[in-house]
Amino acid sequence: MKKFIKNIMPIATGLALVFGATSCVKDLDVDPLDPNMSTEVSAEGLFNKCYANIAMAGNGGANGDCDIDGIDGGTSGFIRQMWNSNELPTDEAINGWGDDGIEQSCFNTYDESHPMLNGYFARLTTGITYCNQYLNIAADYDATMTAEVRFLRALDYYLLMDAFGRVPFSETLAKPVIMSRQEIYSWLEEELLTNIEPNLSAAAPKKSSDSGYGRVDKAAAWILLSRLYLNAEVYTGTAQWAKAAEYAKKVIDSAYKLNTTSVNGWSAYQMLFMGDNGESAASVEAIFPILQDGLTTTSWGTSQFLCAGNFDSDMHANPNDPNGTNGLSGQVWGGNRTRPSLIQKFFPNLDAPQVPSYEMVVAAGDDRAIFDGVGRELNNLDRATFKNGYAVAKFINYKSDGSSGHDATFMDADFFFLRAAEAYLAYAEALTRANGGKATAEAVNAINAVRARAHATQKTSYSLDDILDEWAREFYFEGRRRVDLIRFGKFGGNSDYKWQWKGGTYAGRNFDTYRNIYAIPASQLPTYDNVQNPGY
Amino acid sequence: MMKQVNIQFPLRMLALLFGLFLSVGAFAQIDVKGHVKDATGEPIIGATVRVDGTQTATVTDFDGNFVLKANQDANITVTYIGYQPQTVKAAPTVEVILQDDAAVLNEVVVIGYGAVKKSDLTGSVAALKPDAKNKGLVVNPQDMLSGKVAGVNIVTNDGAPGAGAQIRVRGGSSLNASNDPLIVIDGLAMDNEGVKGLSNALSMINPQDIESFNVLKDASATAIYGSRGSNGVIIITTKKGRNGMKPTVTYSGSMTISAKKSTIDVMNGDEYRDFIKNMYGVKNADGQFLTNAEGQYVDTDGNTILPIYALGTANTDWQNEIYRTAVSHDHNVTIAGALKNLPYRASVGYTDQEGILKTTDFQRVTAALNLNPSFMDNHLTMNLNAKGMYAKTRYAEMAAISSAVFFDPTQSPYGFTSQYHKDLLGDKLDQTLRNFNGYFQWPVAADYDKDTTWPYTVNGVASMPNPLSLLYGRNEHANSRSFIGSADIDYKVHGFEDLRLHLTLGADVSEGKQYRNEQPWYPKSIYYGNWGDEKILKRNLQLSTYAQYYHDFNDQLKNHIDVMAGYEWQHFWRDEKSDYCGYYPSTSPRWIDPMSINPETNMPYGNAVNERPHTPYHFRTDSYLVSFFGRANYSLLDRYMLTFTLRNDGSSRFKEHWALFPSLALAWKINEEPFLKNVEALSDLKLRLSYGKTGQQAGAVPDYSWIATYTKNKGTDSYYPVAGDGLLYRPDNYTPELKWETTTTYNIGLDWGLFNQRLTGTVDVYYRKTTDLLNYAPTLALSAYRNQSWQNIGSLENKGIEATISWKAIQNKDFYWTIDYNFTYNHNEITDLNGVSSDGSPVPQTKDVKIGVDRYLEYQQVGHPINSFLVFQQAYDQNGKPIENAVVDRNGDGIITQADKYFYKSPAPPVTMGLASRMEYKDWDFGFSLRASIGNYVYNNIEQGMANVSPTEVWKSSLLYMNNYTHEAIGRNWQTYQITSQLSDFYVHNASFLKCDNITLGYSFSDLFKKLNGRVYGTVSNVFTITKYKGLDPEVANGFDSNMYPRPISFILGVNLSL
């Protein structure tokens, strides 16, 4: 036994030495080495991210990573999916790409497994979590910034409620509660009135060279309130026309104005959608511009999509640049086209000529008819034939001063998510509706202001249907049409209004009212305790 | 003939076994000269010769001779693996003839942290010593395993030089995490993350240096590797020198000629011209085509018809253009021997493998050094290994392969031959051709910031670029270096020899740097070009130590125990950098002369001002694995054996670091029972039962995923400047609740041998269930920072049967014939996806199998194998012909929707088999290997891509280009392109196959120029494939046949020499 111990002791000592490395167990509590990662956060960096969620797919530019999964990064852009949700199922737009989901949107046959709508849902809810995180850790950093992040969160909740009805609600990183449309409506109203509007900076238009450009101020809160109230009947069953008018009027009376300056032959309206819209006079209308820059802020899903998605290589939007297309090089994806029902808003007899966009506005007598008809059919006979349907040449990267963009591939043009013209039409519609469907003088004036800017003829009276058409003329392809059609009862359900491929037939047919609200994405049903929206 | 069998382990084990009983004697001694040979008269090299009762021992030399001193009446015992020990009386000259033993039974098998006699194994372990003679084209060690081991399915990625492979042991245990087995090289557990130019851990070693593979399959064997054992373990032992060995120099070299086997049957130029004319041409009443005065085809209005007008005048076989007959060679020089007590082996190897796709090749230099000295009467043994590798791989743009299938055969590779292009380009033709570096491309008007030197560019929106320009316009190559070093120190405690202490220190340092240079005329980065590189460096360190106590009680019941306990620490560190950038050409209005002075700094601008936006990338990560493990073996009566293993793994990748992985196994040597002992024919019969749990997390869980962090924006193009400098901080999703996937394995195995082991075999039946699968699955909105994350949800199972039969059909002095056959059946089924799919709907595999952006083919669904095809059912007419654009309304609701899709087969074969045979007659040897895969299905995406031959598809009027088609597609003449018919089972084919991997004929010679021994051989590799599959190759790992680098047929001439 002694020998045993004598032998075993040194061994044990040796082993103990080696196992002294057992302190290596502490190695398991690692700190990240990744230089891209940080356990610390800068309030400004997180603040920027809350905004950037609307402008860029992820943290690495157009071709870098994507904040959300399950959808192609370039396709996942906030604006692009808002556009797909609100334009493709309507009388304005159709698209010929084969990507899963496009046809279902164009034909109003979407369901709970729609990849793009699921991506939209994820983009909105992910944005909310970023805002929640900011508000949880940096609410004391700066009162104005806090109000802005609250606004961004409210905007996400608003769009989520508008598209999907009931929303998951949480102000922290936690399992959400489900709110009905009525509940989230009330929360939004309270939040905007109490926590957001009073703390935002004063309404003042800015140019990109001014600090604060790209950030929201009180005007953004007013216009979102106005939009909430204008659609209150859809959301809650109770109309709020007076409040809608009230908040629209605040914008009209603010320093934000319709841009009426034209430069170098570019119309005042066209200048809102050009490469230098943040620098030019157009910025006076930009209540909430989403920043893009060909070198420093790039995305396939913001103005890039609105421009390239509509252009093909045969189109030339600039009469001074006959070989150029849209101010970019090779960015011609050609899938989005108009449905004839949109052209009809400008050419009631559907006699739009097959001419380039700069001649189309002349033929229409309206600066807003920026359509290209060269070599194109008006009708969408075949969804997948890219020349079936006139194209929209409204979003371009040319600069009104004739200079080049920062980059040949990516857009400099900002996207005016909220712009002053909305207040005019919202004001007009609210007054008209409150007045039993007859436009008041103030309503007529508001509409005429918008039309005058576009050099369209002014009229002395407008019906509600006229106002719906005016919404299309002013805002087509800006990502809001579905909402307007629903408010006017011309989307799902029995309606006298049909457009080509509505409901999936060439002649158009009605589809059920339940399709006014999208299906809860299948993957999110557990969040909703497995209760799907009615009809799906 | 030489017997090349490693004796390292036998020596160590013998020392272990008999060391105790040796004692020193001192009597009058004589010199004993002896010769050892086998029953056929061949000398046995390296046999151990020992004087009984002493420590005097030696090893036979290359001619089977030995000399030692012994007492006059001492007994001398000669042992050699695979033979029965023989004892003779000491005499001045002795001749020993060793008889074949039921030899393999005593073969030593390497298991985790130790080695055991095969006869004592309780787990399912397949040992493979590569057949040095019957082998095909071996560049990567995986090539030696393919088809040779039951339960191991290896599908090489493709035919590219230096290509990796998908290796699956028993079907893989994971859905979304890695299914790659753990690879252990000389005691070092490798991580399976490659670096640039190194496809997997196996590619770091020269196959010529490999002594043996041991594949651990059941939990009894793999549980000692705990959290990394679920996908099986492949242990590689490299060759060593031997004690007492005379210095031996060997050279092996080979020359290989490879060629493509077949091509896709598309139209040639003349056929294509006829096809286009007939499709678009307008005929008059006489059936004659309308032409104008210049002979151009016109429509009734007299307008030229664009597609016909755009036809070139050439007859280009693009698939011929991109491939070549490739010449490769391979050289290895080894010197092995022993300097006193220091056995050594050093080798250098050089491989130059040319790919059959032009521009691709692979060059590799390897060097390996092994020293395994022993000290203090063999109490202290060391095994030092250093392996270095340098490889250079040149890659090609793989799109060239599909482009060559689709590209218009009437266009010349160089220049514009069509009247349409000549007219279109006009006086810009020469300029355009210069811009395209002389290559034909489909041109389209350009707009590069009004750069007038680029009036036209490559029509890149939808058309395929010229395949040759894809190959030559890009130079992408990887330079990779790796060093694997390990030191094994084994100490048998003095005075307490039953106890061994073992220490392994190891390091794997690898670096891969991949460079890319895309010319401004390279069609995929036309005008701006693209330059850059990507560098990956990894440094993995390992320390393992264990103590083993081994005791034979030598009592009546033959009690025997073997207990091992150990500790291991591993650190995995990895750094990745990349930056790719395009530049404004000097003709661009944006170009700034780098030498001109920047007024702001008064310094020259430098070239950075001409860089286009780019995203430099830097990533660094590390993880630790700390483990405690132990194993206990107990055997009774040499018949009943029990093994228990336990490993406690701590990983830095999980917040809850620790998890336990146990296993238990029993074995019963039935043939040792009295009632069978007299059955002469039965030489082995052992039943094995095992149960155990193993883990798995590789390929899924990021290193720091349990820590709350933020990610900053990367690159120059993702700033959002509304506050401060526009930096972004994104909250990262974190998952502190994650843990390992757990696989529970049950295994029943039977080893059997007949006729003194002439006919042997094993049968294993297993059931493996993996729970807590790591799935990248949807999160609940607002409760995570990302809409999907890694979660432990779901389960799947594998059930299977494996069998091997090995038959030494003929064994005599002149003729030797062995046949080895293995069979594997594996059934994989997903049993639970709750949480991944909330409503039970199928979950798409979105990684690599899709059409367009997001049309997926393979889905996961409960009750089906992993990655099963979810497709529409093609409708057929009464004659069995497929109906165009018609799929079956399976749910009968009158419309075709996603709900009409159904699960149809999967890419993984349920049954695989391998058959290898070698015959030797006198100096000649002949061998071949066959491999079969039954029930694997493949989606033929090339066929699908050509299905629509409608006029609007063939000539894309808005894009102004046209593509080629197969004769079959033309014959079918379909005119539509609906998503439902793209996703039809029509394109999913049974791709079962029988492949002949290699046939070899060799001739061995000895004593040439007195001392030179060697062998010359000729081999054909990838000889033939028998299959009904109509694509180029039925062997497609992911089941999606698209754009695959074809596996060539190779003819190898080689020679081995030893001195």
Side-chain angles (χ1 to χ4, degrees), chain A residues 36 58-60, chain B residues 711-715 718-720 726-730:
Chain A
N36 308 300
N59 267 16
Chain B
T711 296
K712 287 177 270 187
N713 53 324
K714 302 178 194 78
S718 76
Y719 286 86
Y720 205 74
L727 282 177
L728 307 180
Y729 275 74
R730 174 179 63 199

Side-chain angles (χ1 to χ4, degrees), chain A residues 3-4 7-8 11 15 18-19 21-22 24-25 27-42 44-49 51-52 55-56 58-62 65-70 72 75 98-100 112 115-116 121-122 125-126 128-130 133 137 145 157 168-170 172-176 213-215 289-291 294-298 313 321 323-325 328-330 332 387 398 404-409 522-527 530, chain B residues 444-450 461 491 493-496 499 501 503 528 543 545-547 565-567 569 571 573-574 584 590 612-613 615 617-626 628 650-655 657-658 703-704 706-734 776 778-789 836 838-839 841 853-856 859 898 957-959 978-979:
Chain A
K3 190 182 171 194
F4 178 80
N7 279 302
I8 216 77
I11 296 160
L15 277 178
V18 177
F19 278 67
T22 306
C24 292
V25 167
D27 286 342
L28 298 174
D29 300 316
V30 282
D31 279 324
L33 292 181
D34 186 354
N36 308 300
M37 269 185 181
S38 167
T39 50
E40 308 284 307
V41 65
S42 100
E44 291 189 343
L46 186 52
F47 177 79
N48 287 335
K49 183 65 193 176
Y51 272 102
M56 289 185 285
N59 267 16
D65 70 346
C66 178
D67 297 329
I68 59 174
D69 295 305
D72 171 65
T75 310
D99 308 19
D100 194 10
E112 62 176 17
M116 292 167 186
F121 186 99
T125 50
T126 305
I128 292 170
T129 64
Y130 298 162
Q133 178 68 359
I137 65 168
M145 284 165 69
Y157 272 126
F169 182 86
S170 175
T172 57
L173 195 70
K175 185 179 190 306
Y213 179 75
R215 291 171 59 170
I290 307 303
L291 311 187
L295 293 176
T296 58
T297 310
T298 60
S313 56
D321 183 13
N323 288 328
T325 52
L328 297 169
S329 181
V332 282
K387 296 281 188 189
Y398 287 110
S404 294
H406 296 163
D407 186 75
T409 301
S523 64
Q524 284 305 322
L525 280 172
T527 309
N530 292 313
Chain B
V444 66
D447 176 21
Y448 292 108
D449 303 323
K450 307 179 181 65
V461 173
Y491 174 61
V493 176
H494 280 86
F496 198 70
L499 183 66
L501 303 178
L503 175 71
Y528 301 112
L543 178 151
T545 181
Y546 61 86
Y567 160 81
W569 172 94
H571 183 213
W573 181 95
R574 188 177 176 86
Y584 295 108
R590 293 168 190 272
R612 302 198 69 228
T615 306
Y617 172 73
H618 185 199
F619 170 72
R620 184 177 288 169
T621 192
D622 74 337
S623 67
Y624 291 87
L625 193 64
V626 178
F628 299 90
S651 166
S652 66
R653 282 181 169 165
F654 299 109
K655 186 173 190 194
H657 300 312
W658 296 94
D703 284 338
Y704 312 116
W706 55 277
I707 304 170
T709 54
Y710 296 85
T711 296
K712 287 177 270 187
N713 53 324
K714 302 178 194 78
T716 58
D717 54 354
S718 76
Y719 286 86
Y720 205 74
V722 286
D725 45 15
L727 282 177
L728 307 180
Y729 275 74
R730 174 179 63 199
D732 294 321
N733 200 38
Y734 59 102
Y776 200 68
T779 55
L780 292 187
L782 306 191
S783 56
Y785 289 121
R786 220 175 162 84
N787 63 325
Q788 293 185 22
S789 79
V836 187
S838 52
D839 55 351
S841 58
V853 177
D854 58 3
R855 264 158 282 158
Y856 305 115
Y859 285 76
Q898 296 287 316
S957 58
S958 63
L959 301 168
Q978 295 299 315
I979 291 171

